[in-house]
Amino acid sequence: MTGVNDKLYIAGISSTKLGKRPDASVKQMVREAVEAALADAGASVGDIDAAWFSNTRQPMLEGQNTVRGQIALRPLGFESVPVVNIENACASGSSALIQAMAHLRAGMADIALVVGAEKMVFPDRPEAMAAAFEGGTDIHDMEATKAFVRSLGGDADDESAGKRSIFMDLYAAQARAHMDRFGTTQKDFAAVAAKNHTHARHNPLAQYRDPMSVEEVLADKPIAFPFTRSMCAPLSDGAAAAVVCNAAGLARLAEAKPRALTIRASTLRSGVDRETGEFERHIGRLTALAAYEEAGLGPEDIDCIEVHDATAYAEVQQIENLGLAEPGTVGARLAEGDFALGGRQPVNASGGLLSKGHPVGATGIIQLHDLAVQLRGEAGNGQVDGARIGLAENGGGFLRGEEAATVVTILEKESAR
């Protein structure tokens, strides 16, 4: 029986192409992702002992409000095995991984499948697409959410607010608080976006692959100050899947063994009540500290990083939360190239959510796929040299001034098995 301290592995992983895919259904994208992940692991449907399915939008946008995983996986031949549906806002995919890991460690399975899929783009239903984001906050106290935005200089009731996700106003409010506290500038956020859009030219699965300069980012369409459009993640369709196993399961998947990745840590936390300026108690910081402790590592040990840059500010915030830079110094570090490809600790070499795309229920697994590509040395011109340990931060929802849930996962490519 697998114990709590025994190693777990990602034996196979995949991601679909991300973007606006009006002709692709959730079922079609799930088939694409699952078949590729099984092939990557050298596994078949019959090898899977249990499955977890992550999705957030089907209930509201398609009316499929229950048993979504069973419906998406049955056409692929998954019968009888347990299928569990997971929703945890933008952190759903990584939360599903944690649940699968617990199942493996409890000795209830040797090989599990984790799937995330999201269809967000319905061109004929723009109001429903925007309204879906409000469910990621406390809908019974929207006035408190809007009051938070106003307290930091925003106007959540202006004429244009209803045409964009309320999360852009929430992130913009947090960005302004950071600017007031640490002197961060709009140009610093533009530098993050320019870096990520430029990285994305190496990612064949990214939604947008055109490099951008800082000046081009600043000149883009305004969204909510200090953000322009290219500082905000787009709406995206896509899916991802991972085959996760314990040592006994990996022994059954002989083809996967040389390329399997060890899960050093995967930690989920909820937020705490804190003052806006108490950055040291931010959910991202507390989750990172717990993950480092679980892995027996520190921020200096991480070679490549994928963070949840739903906006350019979010990347600045998470770089600080992860201990990669002192608060207020990220702008200078960006100017030195520390977080770009070729720098000391590249962040979002995939292009990040800003250009890669953000299909909410799949994002956490997509981030792990991006790390896997790096740790396996398969990123081509976007490769981080010598990458052996990777970290992904995946946040979801919004509650009382910060994300409602955050997962930090650390993967390692072992030199020998």
Side-chain angles (χ1 to χ4, degrees):
M1 180 180 291
T2 303
V4 68
N5 295 317
D6 291 341
K7 289 183 178 180
L8 299 179
Y9 305 91
I10 292 179
I13 194 163
S14 74
S15 170
T16 67
K17 179 82 169 66
L18 309 183
K20 294 176 173 61
R21 303 180 59 178
D23 297 326
S25 68
V26 167
K27 285 183 180 179
Q28 290 168 327
M29 292 187 292
V30 168
R31 176 179 290 277
E32 184 181 339
V34 170
E35 289 182 347
L38 290 174
D40 190 47
S44 68
V45 170
D47 290 315
I48 303 300
D49 301 319
W52 279 258
F53 186 82
S54 161
N55 173 272
T56 72
R57 291 298 189 266
Q58 272 197 293
M60 187 166 190
L61 295 177
E62 298 185 66
Q64 188 62 62
N65 61 323
T66 61
V67 296
R68 302 189 289 279
Q70 288 86 343
I71 289 169
L73 292 173
R74 181 71 67 84
L76 302 182
F78 288 91
E79 299 181 17
S80 183
V81 299
V83 176
V84 181
N85 293 281
I86 296 288
E87 183 283 304
N88 213 11
C90 301
S92 294
S94 51
S95 297
L97 172 69
I98 286 180
Q99 298 305 307
M101 291 170 61
H103 204 74
L104 293 168
R105 283 183 167 142
M108 299 173 69
D110 291 329
I111 303 175
L113 179 70
V114 181
V115 185
E118 206 73 83
K119 185 165 183 61
M120 302 176 68
V121 181
F122 292 81
D124 59 335
R125 303 179 62 195
E127 292 183 359
M129 289 166 58
F133 282 93
E134 291 194 2
T137 64
D138 185 351
I139 63 169
H140 301 287
D141 197 8
M142 289 299 295
E143 183 52 40
T145 300
K146 292 180 178 180
F148 173 79
V149 173
R150 295 188 201 101
S151 73
L152 295 171
D155 185 358
D157 297 310
D158 71 16
E159 185 177 346
S160 63
K163 300 178 182 179
R164 61 177 179 258
S165 161
I166 192 171
F167 277 77
M168 296 304 100
D169 293 289
L170 291 166
Y171 273 118
Q174 294 174 80
R176 289 190 295 272
H178 198 277
M179 294 166 81
D180 291 343
R181 172 80 177 272
F182 298 110
T184 315
T185 68
Q186 187 185 35
K187 188 174 180 180
D188 292 333
F189 302 138
V192 168
K195 169 181 70 68
N196 292 356
H197 283 287
T198 300
H199 282 171
R201 73 190 190 277
H202 301 304
N203 183 354
L205 301 179
Q207 183 165 345
Y208 298 118
R209 300 185 64 193
D210 294 326
M212 296 187 74
S213 67
V214 170
E215 292 71 26
E216 288 171 326
V217 171
L218 289 170
D220 204 356
K221 177 184 176 181
I223 299 297
F225 185 81
F227 301 145
T228 63
R229 178 171 51 189
S230 44
M231 297 184 202
C232 304
L235 295 171
S236 315
D237 300 328
V243 177
V244 188
C245 62
N246 57 22
L250 189 61
R252 287 164 49 189
L253 302 174
E255 292 181 28
K257 200 169 184 180
R259 298 171 69 246
L261 302 171
T262 301
I263 305 172
R264 289 288 299 264
S266 195
T267 302
L268 169 65
R269 289 287 185 274
S270 299
V272 300
D273 287 334
R274 63 178 180 87
E275 297 297 325
T276 301
E278 290 184 284
F279 292 96
E280 69 281 359
R281 299 182 68 229
H282 190 282
I283 182 175
R285 179 62 177 159
L286 299 180
T287 310
L289 291 173
Y292 288 139
E293 181 177 0
E294 181 181 339
L297 299 169
E300 69 281 357
D301 298 311
I302 309 301
D303 301 312
C304 54
I305 301 99
E306 292 288 325
V307 302
H308 193 96
D309 58 324
T311 65
Y313 163 71
E315 178 166 325
V316 172
Q317 179 184 65
Q318 300 308 335
I319 286 173
E320 295 173 351
N321 285 337
L322 293 171
L324 305 176
E326 291 296 319
T329 68
V330 174
R333 297 280 299 277
L334 285 164
E336 294 170 3
D338 283 355
F339 303 122
L341 280 167
R344 291 163 63 181
Q345 288 180 300
V347 176
N348 285 334
S350 67
L353 281 57
L354 294 182
S355 52
K356 176 181 62 185
H358 183 21
V360 172
T363 290
I365 306 170
I366 293 167
Q367 288 181 311
L368 300 181
H369 169 265
D370 297 329
L371 290 183
V373 169
Q374 290 291 343
L375 299 179
R376 291 169 166 180
E378 299 170 353
N381 291 331
Q383 181 65 46
V384 175
D385 290 340
R388 190 177 67 85
I389 297 176
L391 179 150
E393 175 275 327
N394 181 210
F398 185 88
L399 184 63
R400 300 186 183 180
E402 63 182 6
E403 293 87 346
T406 292
V407 178
V408 173
T409 302
I410 300 175
L411 303 181
E412 179 179 16
K413 174 188 177 181
E414 295 192 32
S415 55
R417 297 188 188 281

